[in-house]
Amino acid sequence: MSISLVVTTCCLADHAATVFSSGRQPHDFRAYLLRCHLIPQALANPDITEVIIVGEFESGAGYRYVEVPSVEKNSIHDSLRKRQAGCDTATGRWIIVQNDDHLLDPTFTRSFYKHAYADVVSPARWTRLRGAPEHLNDGSGQKYINGHTAVYNREVLLRCPWSALPKIFSYDVVHSQMIREAGFDILWPDDVITWDCELGATPWK
């Protein structure tokens, strides 16, 4: 079973210091997360067959960098373009689409295998930013796909591409509806976990 990891980022863009996330954290700090945590972790995972970084970053050993400059300098609008470019590049039967401020739990891929009968696996989202592990909004309550990290069967993204989505904040809700209407199933297992780890962010708000 082949798994591609696609991570979108603008962390080395000229405007990255002026684009802010929750807690008013500039996106340029995410270069540290990518270099020191996300990429090394992904390359060390034997279940991940290719790592693709899309957007504004840098070339490096072991992963493929696909440069897609930001056009609108809006994290949502440009993210959809970058997700589409990354998924067009990916060769895996399964594609993990991940934000650059999240890390996969060490058990992520092993737990995913247990649920690979579903077309989309939407992981539980947690953080330790306030100390003890804390569950965050991940769409499971409202039954939409976690927009921060999710695993898609390739066929899902061929029939329901990112390029078909409206450029709105709730694109993940729209995408979930589109995927259901196309006849695919979505699963929200508790044991497939992703961690929001952006220092200074306030993802619980």
Side-chain angles (χ1 to χ4, degrees), residues 84-97:
Q84 186 63 54
C87 293
D88 287 344
T89 302
T91 62
R93 176 187 172 189
W94 293 93
I95 302 174
I96 303 172
V97 180

Side-chain angles (χ1 to χ4, degrees), residues 49-61:
T49 51
E50 64 179 352
V51 178
I52 303 168
I53 310 298
V54 188
E56 291 121 324
F57 192 54
E58 60 198 7
S59 299

Side-chain angles (χ1 to χ4, degrees), residues 20-200:
F20 299 96
S21 61
S22 65
R24 299 293 295 169
Q25 298 304 305
H27 282 208
D28 57 356
F29 176 75
R30 298 182 183 188
Y32 163 78
L33 294 176
L34 281 162
R35 290 167 176 159
C36 298
H37 296 285
L38 193 158
I39 292 173
Q41 180 201 59
L43 294 179
N45 187 333
D47 296 322
I48 296 176
T49 51
E50 64 179 352
V51 178
I52 303 168
I53 310 298
V54 188
E56 291 121 324
F57 192 54
E58 60 198 7
S59 299
Y63 64 90
R64 183 169 183 180
Y65 170 48
V66 179
E67 183 177 10
V68 179
S70 298
V71 174
E72 302 180 48
K73 296 181 173 55
N74 178 294
S75 60
I76 295 170
H77 296 190
D78 286 312
S79 177
L80 291 174
R81 294 177 52 251
K82 293 170 183 177
R83 286 182 174 214
Q84 186 63 54
C87 293
D88 287 344
T89 302
T91 62
R93 176 187 172 189
W94 293 93
I95 302 174
I96 303 172
V97 180
Q98 181 180 352
N99 283 1
D100 58 355
D101 59 349
H102 281 62
L103 290 176
L104 305 181
D105 189 83
T107 65
F108 187 97
T109 49
R110 295 195 303 275
S111 297
F112 158 72
Y113 283 143
K114 295 185 293 183
H115 307 289
Y117 56 88
D119 298 308
V120 181
V121 174
S122 182
R125 180 172 170 241
W126 289 76
T127 190
R128 295 188 182 95
L129 290 173
R130 293 198 286 190
E134 179 177 2
H135 186 236
L136 300 173
N137 177 41
D138 51 23
S140 56
Q142 297 79 27
K143 298 305 178 187
Y144 64 86
I145 297 167
N146 182 344
H148 302 269
T149 307
V151 192
Y152 301 83
N153 186 302
R154 165 179 292 281
E155 183 64 23
V156 174
L157 296 179
L158 289 174
R159 291 177 55 189
C160 304
W162 303 104
S163 58
L165 297 179
K167 297 175 181 179
I168 57 175
F169 182 78
S170 58
Y171 71 84
D172 45 2
V173 176
V174 176
H175 203 203
S176 303
Q177 180 179 353
M178 180 187 300
I179 288 169
R180 285 195 194 92
E181 291 176 351
F184 297 110
D185 58 320
I186 305 167
L187 192 67
W188 291 265
D190 293 333
D191 59 338
V192 183
I193 297 170
T194 186
W195 294 90
D196 188 311
C197 56
E198 184 171 31
L199 182 67

